[in-house]
Amino acid sequence: MSILISVRELAARIESGMRTVVLDARWTLAEPHGLEAYRAGHIPTAVSVDVEDELSDHGVAGRGRHPLPTEAAFTDAMRRWGIRSGDLVVVTDTTSNQAAARAWWLLRHAGHESVLMLDGGIDAWVADGYSLETGVNVPEPGDATAHFGAMPVIDIDEAAALPDRGVLLDVRAAERYRGEVEPVDPKAGHIPGAVSSPTTGTLDADGRFLAPDVLAERFAALGVVPGTPVAASCGSGVAASHQVAALAIAGIDAALFPGSWSQWSNDDSRPVATGSAPR
């Protein structure tokens, strides 16, 4: 599975006029809507994507803080972003793709095969000497249609059972996994049996993904090797998409648990583990 595009490759496509849809999907817990930052400076031609409102369905109750959007809503979003069937789409952000991976994953899940992440994100673009533009780009509407099902997904019951037959990776910060702090959700700790695998550990000092062999070695140390059933969980299904991408780079197929800890911790019937051990 092709995952990444380099800054130079993207710049060459934009400069040559090759049709490329660039999506700016900035998101953090502190600033969930990235439009203001996008207006102040973004990669030329990029279109702003709202992770909160376009990559989630907040009308769904009981499935965490960022439930997946419907096919119809995501089709509308894809067309609003100007995506046509067969387009190359490049997604990026300012957090080394930890948010943009949600757009990457959803586009792949929707059946759009030609979607890549900019390795290192917008910071890498600037560091390599390329300029940003200001304002807002409004593209001509596209014709793409979402057909979900191309990427594996697990629900809360499958997440509970997975540690007995495979590996459930918890990609949140280690202190959240251990239950020492919980800034967002009602309970601190982790799903019993889940293995701590902070997604920041898949990046180098420049915010780029580690090499495939290094990632494969990292995941093998956590019990994940090709053929092992594996899924990624985080706070609410955003950062877990980044770990799914890292696993794909390592040659490992992984499922996403969209509800993640935000769904689990709001269900009083679910047990909670704390400390550094899975159980």
Side-chain angles (χ1 to χ4, degrees):
M1 183 187 293
S2 183
I3 300 291
L4 303 173
I5 186 171
S6 72
V7 167
R8 290 187 178 182
E9 289 171 322
L10 177 58
R13 290 186 65 92
I14 294 173
E15 291 168 4
S16 69
M18 295 179 68
R19 182 163 175 81
T20 309
V21 178
V22 182
L23 302 182
D24 186 314
R26 303 184 211 203
W27 177 90
T28 64
L29 287 174
E31 297 184 30
H33 302 282
L35 182 58
E36 183 177 347
Y38 163 86
R39 287 179 186 271
H42 54 263
I43 292 171
T45 76
V47 178
S48 180
V49 172
D50 192 310
V51 174
E52 288 288 326
D53 295 339
E54 295 181 304
L55 305 186
S56 309
D57 182 358
H58 294 292
V60 178
R63 289 197 304 210
R65 286 183 278 112
H66 293 101
L68 300 183
T70 64
E71 280 188 351
F74 196 63
T75 293
D76 288 344
M78 292 171 73
R79 294 180 178 182
R80 189 164 54 249
W81 301 330
I83 300 175
R84 302 175 191 168
S85 179
D87 277 348
L88 175 65
V89 181
V90 177
V91 296
T92 189
D93 60 20
T94 54
T95 51
S96 302
N97 290 307
Q98 293 182 70
R102 170 78 168 208
W104 167 83
W105 186 91
L106 269 169
L107 285 163
R108 294 301 303 252
H109 187 48
H112 195 88
E113 296 183 356
S114 300
V115 53
L116 303 173
M117 289 180 286
L118 179 61
D119 199 15
I122 297 170
D123 290 343
W125 178 273
V126 173
D128 283 359
Y130 294 97
S131 61
L132 302 176
E133 66 178 12
T134 59
V136 175
N137 292 317
V138 181
E140 290 292 323
D143 63 5
T145 300
H147 298 289
F148 287 165
M151 297 290 276
V153 180
I154 63 171
D155 62 21
I156 193 169
D157 291 327
E158 291 169 316
L162 183 58
D164 291 331
R165 63 181 186 85
V167 180
L168 178 63
L169 297 175
D170 186 323
V171 316
R172 297 173 300 157
E175 60 269 22
R176 289 184 71 187
Y177 172 88
R178 294 191 296 265
E180 296 167 4
V181 297
E182 180 45 63
V184 187
D185 295 308
K187 298 174 187 174
H190 60 266
I191 298 170
V195 176
S196 181
S197 176
T199 202
T200 52
T202 64
L203 301 168
D204 66 16
D206 294 323
R208 291 176 168 86
F209 281 99
L210 298 172
D213 58 337
V214 178
L215 287 170
E217 183 177 351
R218 177 185 186 276
F219 290 124
L222 298 175
V224 180
V225 295
T228 303
V230 58
S233 173
C234 60
S236 62
V238 176
S241 303
H242 186 270
Q243 189 104 153
V244 171
L247 285 154
I249 292 170
I252 300 167
D253 294 330
L256 178 74
F257 175 28
S260 290
W261 184 246
S262 61
Q263 181 181 12
W264 187 279
S265 63
N266 275 283
D267 185 340
D268 290 337
S269 71
R270 303 288 175 173
V272 173
T274 56
S276 57
R279 297 184 186 274

